[in-house]
Amino acid sequence: MTETVPPVADAAIRDQRALLDSILTAAIRAAHPDLCLPPHLPEPSPGRLIILAAGKAAGSMSAVASRFYRRQHGLGDDRIVGLAVARHGYGQDAPGIHMVEAGHPVPDEAGISATREALRLATEAGPDDEVLVLLSGGGSANWIAPAGDLTLVEKQAITRAMLRSGAPIGEINTVRKHISRIKGGRLALAARNARRILTLAISDVPFDDPAVIASGPTVPDPSTLADARAICEKRGIPLPEEASRLLNDPNNETPKAGDPAFARAEYRIIARPIDALNAAAEAARAAGYEPIMLGADLEGEAREVAAEHAAEAKRLKAEGRRVALISGGELTVTIRGEGHGGPNQEYALALAVALDGEPGIFGISADTDGTDGGRGLATDPAGGLIDPTTLERARTAGLDPAAMLEQNDSTAFFAALGDLVNPGPTCTNVNDCRIILVN
């Protein structure tokens, strides 16, 4: 049984912890739809403006768009229609747009009914109507329309198996596209009679690939059925009979470049992970640190990347440098134990273990959407924060950091110390943000 952990007493350490939090806040703010969406919203078309949104920023993006067209252009309910589906706890009021909250990362029935309605609205778009698609990370789980006779329960099981396998998001989305009626360019097929399809996206994926963001519902899909089959085989994903049939049916291939459905489709990325990291770098520089970018598109096992970053932080400290190591991307966790925690918390715990109480080095790792893995609840933590006292405080509380890392039990570790990063829904999503301060 753990003992109560007293708060950090050292004022200098508290100041560094507060600085880490403020740098993370600056990074998240830079990618909020309030700032990044309005400059990209187009003039309204002669007909209806059909707004379809999906992902963790769907509520905030829809609210910004609805306010913009009502205040700037005087459009009313006769001109603005639409539907937005966001993760549970991430919805916002957007007049004229039906707001739905649905499951993430595992889809649910609310997502199915919302996706059915989104496809109906897209199909009904006429030659005077503009379809404005607002995408953000999480859209793959929120827009859920199983193909063929695949059931929700079966698709949920495939999603859980993919997540447990440690597969990166690109592989997960390749499989998702080929068992869906909306992903992989299929929404563009549904809206092909519209005057224009404009997609404005907040990227949460490495290298900002439109075909990967929310599984690319409005762009040509470069992945194939063969790719999806190979991923399932490599990862040992058990497939129900209907999923196997879909992945072996040539008629179920996703639309490719050159398909007429994309002739009037336009795509813009309005916020990228690098935008958030640049904001973090500016905040660190203002605090007297030399920012060093380790990459906006990092992938790999969270604990392995943490060990590499710890070694680099120690090296720079030995050189007498005062730096902020900043990185993004989407790390993975291959689940081996029975604990709970996402890649940001596992990274932070592994970083603490690797640093072993090294004086003068502090770190924070969090998902910019406000939740890191977890149970799919809006109250899930976003990540963890470490300082030179982390391991000492943990052992005083009866915790074994290395054992908890092996059990993938990072949430319990940081909860016991009071060091979870828990901002709640941020209403944006530009992937992970990791900051290490070296004094």
Side-chain angles (χ1 to χ4, degrees), residues 79-157:
R79 297 281 303 282
I80 299 176
V81 297
L83 182 142
V85 55
R87 179 176 178 159
H88 287 295
Y90 284 63
Q92 292 192 8
D93 181 44
I97 301 170
H98 181 204
M99 186 72 236
V100 176
E101 295 185 354
H104 181 281
V106 178
D108 59 15
E109 288 287 353
I112 283 188
S113 60
T115 307
R116 188 180 301 120
E117 177 67 7
L119 286 169
R120 183 189 68 79
L121 288 169
T123 303
E124 292 179 353
D128 289 331
D129 299 331
E130 176 130 10
V131 176
L132 178 62
V133 180
L134 305 175
L135 290 184
S136 54
S140 294
N142 292 153
W143 265 347
I144 174 75
D149 294 324
L150 194 67
T151 67
L152 173 61
V153 171
E154 290 172 331
K155 196 158 187 182
Q156 287 173 327

Side-chain angles (χ1 to χ4, degrees), residues 30 132 137 143 218 268 330 350 364 369 381 398 431 433:
L132 178 62
W143 265 347
T218 58
R268 299 181 205 159
E330 189 163 26
I364 193 169
D369 64 21
N431 233 325
C433 181

